[in-house]
Amino acid sequence: MSDLLPDPRSGAGTNLDRWYDTYAARTAGLAASEVRALFAVASRPEVVSLAGGMPYVRAIPRELIATAFDRLLLEDAPAALQYGSGQGTPRLREHILEVMALEGIHASADDVVTTTGSQQAIDLVTKLFIDPGDVVLAEGPSYVGALGVFRSYQAEVVHVPLDADGLIPEALEAAIATQKAAGRHIKFLYTVPNFHNPAGVTLSAERRPRIVQICSDAGVLIVEDNPYGLLWFDAPPPPPLQTLNPDGVVYLGSFSKTFAPGFRVGWAVAPHAVKEKLVLAAESAILSPSTFSHYLISEYLETVDWQGQIATFRDVYRERRDAILAALAKYLPDLTWNVPDGGFYVWVGLPDELHSKQMLPRAVRELVAYTPGTGFYADGQGGRQMRLSFCYPTPAEIEVGVQRLAAVVNGELELVRSFRGTGSLTPSTPEHSVTTPPPDLR
């Protein structure tokens, strides 16, 4: 047998993976997220998916992208198809400044590092700062994709609770004090201040300066993830944390929610020294981002009323937000939920008797999908919550989906309470069968 391969007779590995004993220790943190695990089921046409945060890209007129694509191929194809700078094309970085200016951020193009979606930006920042056992402070609940990154770099995630006004300053102070008293290294606070994923809340204007000051006094970097900030419904959110302390905040943005996720273009704005390391880390990971995507997005931003398109997205998502709130009030009035002012998500509280992860198989059988709250915590919390995404289904599909969900919730309650001898709860009967999808749902 070749010396280059382990001898399967040596006992190394397992029956399923002969390389099991040779992986790096950090791979123990690699696991499929509960959101990703749902995609195979939720993508079935008969299932109403209230699970994934997929933008409604059908709201973009096809001719807008086609025109930009054709012009790019005719005028800039040689450059667009070539390698580029690890920091991203200067042209796109200038456009990113225009986008961020809408929220009050004023920077230079040299401060911007483009990434393969903001997900890569989270990965790069974590790679730069985290040693195994270091602490990341994150809202509880928090974005599942970020938790996966933190876990993969062997960080210890400490959740800081939030309420209707976002991250709670007193809880942040307490968490910092507790971790420092224990001699642990806090590397950064990860926060989604606008239209939070998954909780749907927005950090209030009154709390923002205090959060920034607490972190500054404690020497804790802030990683501000803001993919939804331009998708407000009635009024824009307060200015970003980055505007309050540019030297203490790494700001992350993305075109995935305001244009299209398929181009996989995001960015980071960071203090100069951090920015330099981000560029080096990005180059070592991917050499250079997709020059073609950069050119195409620049072409789109230069030739299309992109701010008008964002306003269209706002109208689409506002209508869907209103539809899901109306459906919850109609079919599940005894549950609790937030009223988001923008973004994609409603955070729903369940009765104490139910567990969102345990209930999911029955929901899938009834042709509706949601995301269990457990996916948004690093410590097993979240069983009494679920995230409902209203961004992708039509209002009609949303009502059918919540109607099916009500049958599941009430059916589970009836079962639990019957076994406890406390009587049964008669589930609300949907007007139509929940096992046969209506023909207009595609």
Side-chain angles (χ1 to χ4, degrees):
M1 178 166 291
S2 170
D3 292 337
L4 297 178
L5 294 175
D7 186 341
R9 296 167 295 183
S10 68
T14 70
N15 289 336
L16 297 178
D17 185 356
R18 66 185 300 182
W19 306 106
Y20 181 82
D21 295 326
T22 61
Y23 291 130
R26 63 180 173 274
T27 61
L30 296 175
S33 77
E34 298 191 13
V35 175
R36 296 296 175 193
L38 283 169
F39 276 1
V41 171
S43 61
R44 288 162 44 192
E46 68 271 22
V47 175
V48 175
S49 176
L50 304 174
M54 297 178 292
Y56 191 69
V57 294
R58 293 177 185 271
I60 304 175
R62 292 184 183 181
E63 60 271 16
L64 297 184
I65 298 177
T67 299
F69 187 88
D70 290 343
R71 187 180 295 110
L72 172 59
L73 290 180
L74 288 173
E75 299 177 3
D76 293 309
L81 296 173
Q82 190 53 269
Y83 288 117
S85 162
Q87 193 170 352
T89 65
R91 180 185 177 195
L92 180 61
R93 285 187 279 122
E94 291 288 349
H95 287 307
I96 288 172
L97 298 182
E98 298 174 18
V99 174
M100 293 191 299
L102 296 179
E103 297 187 89
I105 293 178
H106 302 288
S108 73
D110 189 54
D111 297 324
V112 178
V113 180
T114 61
T115 56
T116 305
S118 60
Q119 184 71 19
Q120 190 201 18
I122 296 171
D123 184 272
L124 293 177
V125 171
T126 307
K127 181 179 182 179
L128 290 181
F129 284 97
I130 293 298
D131 289 316
D134 285 343
V135 171
V136 172
L137 301 175
E139 291 137 335
S142 193
Y143 166 50
V144 63
L147 295 180
V149 171
F150 304 152
R151 185 168 53 242
S152 73
Y153 285 100
Q154 299 172 285
E156 182 72 24
V157 176
V158 173
H159 285 299
V160 182
L162 45 70
D163 59 19
D165 291 319
L167 189 68
I168 301 172
E170 295 80 6
L172 176 61
E173 285 183 309
I176 291 174
T178 298
Q179 296 305 310
K180 288 197 169 186
R184 307 178 72 188
H185 296 99
I186 304 172
K187 290 300 181 70
F188 57 81
L189 165 68
Y190 172 78
T191 178
V192 183
N194 298 328
F195 320 127
H196 186 271
N197 179 8
V201 300
T202 295
L203 182 62
S204 68
E206 293 75 20
R207 288 185 179 180
R208 294 188 182 220
R210 190 170 174 197
I211 295 293
V212 169
Q213 190 63 53
I214 289 170
C215 289
S216 178
D217 291 345
V220 174
L221 180 71
I222 297 175
V223 178
E224 179 180 17
D225 194 2
N226 186 33
Y228 308 100
L230 292 176
L231 297 178
W232 45 268
F233 297 150
D234 300 310
L241 304 178
Q242 193 273 350
T243 64
L244 301 175
N245 185 16
D247 290 333
V249 177
V250 176
Y251 174 92
L252 310 183
S254 175
F255 287 108
S256 292
K257 308 302 189 293
T258 56
F259 184 21
F263 293 112
R264 305 307 303 131
V265 176
W267 68 88
V269 175
H272 180 75
V274 177
K275 183 270 296 185
E276 291 294 319
K277 288 183 172 58
L278 282 173
V279 174
L280 295 175
E283 289 176 340
S284 69
I286 59 171
L287 190 61
S288 73
S290 169
T291 307
F292 189 86
S293 290
H294 286 203
Y295 268 75
L296 186 58
I297 291 176
S298 290
E299 192 70 33
Y300 172 84
L301 295 174
E302 289 175 4
T303 59
V304 171
D305 178 14
W306 58 272
Q307 293 190 46
Q309 184 58 47
I310 291 175
T312 297
F313 278 131
R314 289 187 195 122
D315 291 340
V316 167
Y317 298 138
R318 183 191 297 110
E319 180 185 31
R320 284 159 163 73
R321 185 276 311 265
D322 293 345
I324 201 166
L325 295 180
L328 286 169
K330 180 177 180 181
Y331 297 111
L332 288 166
D334 294 332
L335 301 190
T336 60
W337 57 84
N338 66 298
V339 178
D341 296 322
F344 287 2
Y345 309 111
V346 173
W347 188 238
V348 177
L350 292 171
D352 290 341
E353 299 97 321
L354 302 185
H355 193 284
S356 59
K357 188 173 183 179
Q358 295 172 2
M359 192 174 67
L360 184 58
R362 178 168 179 164
V364 172
R365 285 197 302 271
E366 298 292 352
L367 303 179
V368 62
Y370 60 83
T371 309
T374 51
F376 303 100
Y377 288 91
D379 54 9
Q381 298 183 63
R384 299 295 177 264
Q385 289 84 34
M386 65 172 73
R387 189 192 73 178
L388 301 184
S389 302
F390 54 81
C391 46
Y392 192 77
T394 66
E397 291 169 337
I398 286 171
E399 178 164 9
V400 171
V402 174
Q403 193 176 16
R404 295 174 180 176
L405 183 60
V408 173
V409 169
N410 289 326
E412 290 286 298
L413 278 173
E414 180 182 27
L415 182 65
V416 170
R417 291 173 179 174
S418 294
F419 273 98
R420 286 184 177 178
T422 58
S424 62
L425 177 69
T426 303
S428 61
T429 303
E431 297 175 7
H432 304 289
S433 169
V434 297
T435 56
T436 304
D440 59 338
L441 294 190
R442 293 183 289 275

